[in-house]
Amino acid sequence: MTIKGALFDFSGTLFRIEPTDAWLRAVLDASGAVLPEEDLLRYARRLEDAGALPGGAPPLAVPPHLSEVWGTRDRSAEEHRAAFTGLAREVPLPDPELYEALYDRHMQPAAWRPYPDAAEVLGELRRRGVRIAVVSNIGWDLRPVFRAHGLDEFVDAYVLSFEHGVQKPDPRLFRVACDALGLAPEDAVMVGDDRRADAGAARLGCRVHLVDHLPVERRPDGLRPVLDLAGAARRRDARSQTR
């Protein structure tokens, strides 16, 4: 199989959200609020347990009154905000305005860091003529994050669940991505960190390559095997043509 296209997940694959304590600290600093460090860390731990940070740790438990919106959170901007602000509100914070401010913070480019090898891998794939799409379960427009970090130039298409009303692992979202690249599914690889959501691309015929959802500093070169995979596929194709 020649790999002509690569579909990449966003959170946990190309980028990682800031830690929960940094997220809360940034919002408190912007509001002018001051909390003792011990209180800040305590609130951050409770928000993390609640799963309130999009792209962060999953909730330890989803409250029954949020179970429905949690299950469909990536189908629209409204459901995404309702799900995560709902989880955050499970933690009593000193100012009720913080809940919306926390959600808004996670959409800012400064809240995200690309993995160390993201630019290298995307750039090399582009140099080899591999077309690239970002396929993400998300409730907001992540394009500004890519532009701010200098990665937008490598991306041919963005396929975001909230813009299509469909979320992974539904194969329809991967079909949209392949069509946007002008490729057959069997000519593409889906690279992601979610064994359920991203592996849904296999149902369409895409190859799937999974990476570990780790902090940026603990995964310096997790994307580089994609280059080896693309190179191996091209070598196999070349050999088959010479036989």
Side-chain angles (χ1 to χ4, degrees), residues 66-114:
L66 293 174
S67 61
E68 183 174 353
V69 73
W70 179 254
T72 59
R73 64 192 179 278
D74 296 312
R75 294 183 186 175
S76 72
E78 295 76 17
E79 289 171 295
H80 195 268
R81 181 180 284 270
F84 283 100
T85 57
L87 289 175
R89 286 189 172 93
E90 294 298 299
V91 180
L93 295 177
D95 183 346
E97 293 185 359
L98 289 174
Y99 300 110
E100 296 293 337
L102 283 167
Y103 185 86
D104 292 340
R105 164 67 188 182
H106 102 276
M107 296 187 286
Q108 297 177 15
W112 295 89
R113 289 176 59 193

Side-chain angles (χ1 to χ4, degrees), residues 100-173:
E100 296 293 337
L102 283 167
Y103 185 86
D104 292 340
R105 164 67 188 182
H106 102 276
M107 296 187 286
Q108 297 177 15
W112 295 89
R113 289 176 59 193
Y115 281 93
D117 56 347
E120 171 196 344
V121 170
L122 294 178
E124 178 60 20
L125 289 173
R126 170 58 64 90
R127 188 190 69 80
R128 297 183 188 183
V130 176
R131 294 181 60 76
I132 295 168
V134 173
V135 187
S136 178
N137 276 354
I138 199 164
W140 50 277
D141 186 3
L142 52 71
R143 294 172 182 87
V145 176
F146 279 77
R147 288 195 291 268
H149 290 279
L151 299 187
D152 180 66
E153 63 179 300
F154 304 122
V155 180
D156 297 293
Y158 293 92
V159 180
L160 311 181
S161 61
F162 84 102
E163 294 182 339
H164 298 275
V166 177
Q167 61 189 37
K168 299 180 289 185
D170 192 317
R172 289 178 293 172
L173 202 65

Side-chain angles (χ1 to χ4, degrees), residues 7-15 133-137 146 168 190-194 198:
L7 317 180
F8 283 91
D9 177 50
F10 167 56
S11 174
T13 300
L14 292 175
F15 283 83
V134 173
V135 187
S136 178
N137 276 354
F146 279 77
K168 299 180 289 185
M190 175 66 209
V191 183
D193 66 289
D194 191 316
D198 296 316

Side-chain angles (χ1 to χ4, degrees), residues 25-61:
R25 194 184 309 276
V27 170
L28 291 172
D29 289 347
S31 70
V34 178
L35 281 180
E37 185 69 9
E38 181 179 346
D39 290 346
L40 185 150
L41 294 177
R42 176 168 52 84
Y43 283 125
R45 284 193 297 271
R46 295 188 64 184
L47 287 166
E48 183 159 337
D49 289 346
L53 174 58
L60 295 181

